[in-house]
């Protein structure tokens, strides 16, 4: 079923933020109205409602989405989220950000995102597998290596990607590894993908430190969200000599002014054990974590965490967005006033999509790389993107968010014009 909403429906939450960021970049680029209406809309939106028989014999109907925002630069690409808070507007916003992100780091993808409205913590592994296979079947009409390639996001992981790959392969009658990325290495995944988003954050923080003349070694860091992104970023930053003073999950944060032992906290990641049970540290709230006087604040949980109501409390020197859309436009304006440098999501957390691209290339060629080759190429692509964004910021006297958006949007505009579909 293709969903088409009335034009008058107002955007909510993350989509409002995505629109405000796009409009600001479009204004600075002087985009005409024809191009704006095209780029503000998502190209394809599939809503699916599908039954799953639960372990107790009861049948429940789940709802999910797959949204492709733009395909001008290549096949659609973007994660798949399992969360009770998934909504069509949220998926649209996340799909738009994927379009700009792929363009900022200059990989040949458009943007997409998917989600199922479910709390995976409340389901058994068998139920999650059934749900995943059914959802994959429902969206199989629009995904595939040449069309749209999902990957893990909040609440999903490599195991779930393997089930999706297997389901699509069963339908096609042959193994189609390139249909999803973020798979385990033994079924066509790439070395380095599980760490890629966190590693990309490390490289971006190292570049930021160089640009602003500060050292990563000894720098203090607070990380909101101790999942696939936040936990790995904390681990790699600690190995690089930074002092991680706080990390959090949805229920609260572990805090130690002298620095947490992140290796000891790794069993708590991705909500396997609540951080509230961690010992040898103090416990603070997420709100307290966001207002710690640290060098680097890394929001790596969900959207809208830094907003008009708490932005004035932020005392970090740099904000590096591990999550997608953690900052509202109102908070952005406050950070600009407070002269807090902010490295935007579409650049800072692009390590994941970059290494997903490498995984897809390896799957299509049936030729796999060594881990150091993956990391070295990730470093090259993400540091080049950082330089491109900084050059744009310097040229236009723009904040890094606007500069990254201008770079990404402009590349999509160029592809759209060259394809000749719009003026
Ligand atoms: P995850 O499910 O592995 O981890 C999410 C973490 O955030 C968990 O620790 C959870 O407890 C915590 N969390 C959830 N709600 C919270 C709240 N209200 N306050 C504090 N913490 C909260 O998810 P992930 O894959 O690490 O994704 C995190 C963010 O990074 C998302 O915005 C996602 O879109 C973005 N992202 C992920 C990737 C990737 O490769 N996984 C790539 C780019 C961006």
């Amino acid at each position: 079923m293709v969903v088409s909403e009335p034009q008058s429906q107002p955007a909510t939450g993350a989509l409002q933020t995505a629109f405000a960021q796009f409009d600001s970049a479009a204004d600075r680029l002087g985009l005409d109205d024809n191009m704006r209406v095209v780029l503000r809309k998502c190209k394809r939106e599939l809503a699916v409602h599908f039954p799953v028989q639960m372990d107790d014999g009861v049948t429940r109907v789940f709802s999910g989405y797959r949204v492709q925002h733009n395909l001008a630069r290549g096949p659609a690409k973007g994660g798949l989220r399992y969360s009770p808070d998934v909504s069509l507007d949220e998926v649209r916003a996340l799909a738009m950000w994927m379009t700009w992100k792929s363009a900022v780091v200059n990989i040949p993808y458009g943007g997409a995102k998917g989600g199922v409205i479910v709390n995976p913590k409340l389901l058994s592994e068998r139920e999650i597998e059934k749900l995943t296979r059914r959802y994959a079947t429902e969206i199989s009409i629009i995904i595939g290596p040449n069309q749209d390639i999902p990957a893990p996001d909040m609440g999903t992981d490599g195991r779930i990607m393997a089930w999706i790959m297997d389901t699509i392969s069963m339908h096609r009658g042959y193994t189609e590894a390139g249909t999803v990325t973020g798979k385990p290495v033994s079924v066509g995944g790439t070395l380095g993908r599980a760490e890629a988003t966190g590693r990309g954050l490390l490289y971006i923080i190292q570049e930021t430190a160089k640009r602003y003349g500060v050292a990563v070694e000894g720098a203090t860091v607070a990380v909101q969200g101790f999942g696939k992104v936040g936990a790995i970023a904390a681990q790699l930053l600690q190995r690089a000599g930074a002092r991680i003073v706080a990390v959090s999950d949805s229920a609260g944060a572990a805090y130690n002014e002298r620095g947490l032992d992140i290796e000891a906290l790794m069993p708590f990641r991705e909500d396997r054990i609540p951080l509230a049970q961690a010992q040898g540290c103090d416990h603070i709230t997420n709100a307290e974590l966001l207002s710690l006087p640290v060098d680097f604040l890394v929001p790596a949980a969900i959207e809208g965490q830094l907003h008009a109501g708490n932005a004035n409390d932020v005392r970090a020197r740099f904000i590096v967005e591990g999550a997608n859309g953690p900052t509202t436009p109102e908070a952005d304006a406050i950070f600009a006033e407070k002269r807090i440098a902010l490295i935007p999501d579409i650049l800072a957390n692009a390590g994941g999509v970059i290494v997903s691209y490498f995984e897809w290339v390896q799957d299509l060629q049936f030729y796999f790389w060594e881990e150091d080759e993956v990391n070295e190429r990730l470093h090259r692509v993400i540091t080049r993107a950082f330089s491109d964004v900084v050059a744009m910021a310097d040229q236009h006297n723009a904040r890094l968010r606007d500069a990254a958006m201008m770079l990404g949007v402009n590349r999509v505009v160029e592809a759209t014009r060259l394809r000749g579909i719009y003026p």
Side-chain angles (χ1 to χ4, degrees), residues 81 153-155 197 226-229 249-250 271 286 300-301 324:
R81 180 172 288 196
D153 192 79
M154 271 185 59
T197 310
F226 202 57
K228 292 182 290 297
V229 177
D249 57 24
S250 54
D271 298 330
N286 263 294
N324 288 308

Side-chain angles (χ1 to χ4, degrees), residues 79 81-82 85 94 98 101 113 121 151-157 193-194 196-198 223-231 248-252 268-272 275 286 290 299-303 305 321-326 345 348-353 356:
R81 180 172 288 196
Y82 286 178
D85 300 324
L94 291 161
M98 284 308 298
K101 191 185 300 183
K113 206 78 180 191
K121 285 184 229 163
D153 192 79
M154 271 185 59
T156 59
D157 58 16
R193 174 61 182 91
T197 310
V223 181
Q224 185 200 33
F226 202 57
K228 292 182 290 297
V229 177
S248 71
D249 57 24
S250 54
F268 293 76
R269 80 186 137 138
E270 290 170 41
D271 298 330
R272 277 180 223 142
L275 280 165
N286 263 294
L290 295 175
I302 52 171
E303 301 98 64
Q305 291 298 295
E321 294 185 330
N324 288 308
D345 45 10
N349 71 32
V353 74
S356 273

Side-chain angles (χ1 to χ4, degrees), residues 46-74:
L46 181 65
V48 294
H49 310 281
F50 53 95
V52 179
Q53 192 178 42
M54 311 307 282
D55 291 346
D56 60 5
V58 171
T59 296
R60 280 175 61 189
V61 174
F62 290 89
S63 297
Y65 307 99
R66 185 72 190 172
V67 171
Q68 299 170 355
H69 169 247
N70 188 285
L71 308 175
R73 288 172 44 88

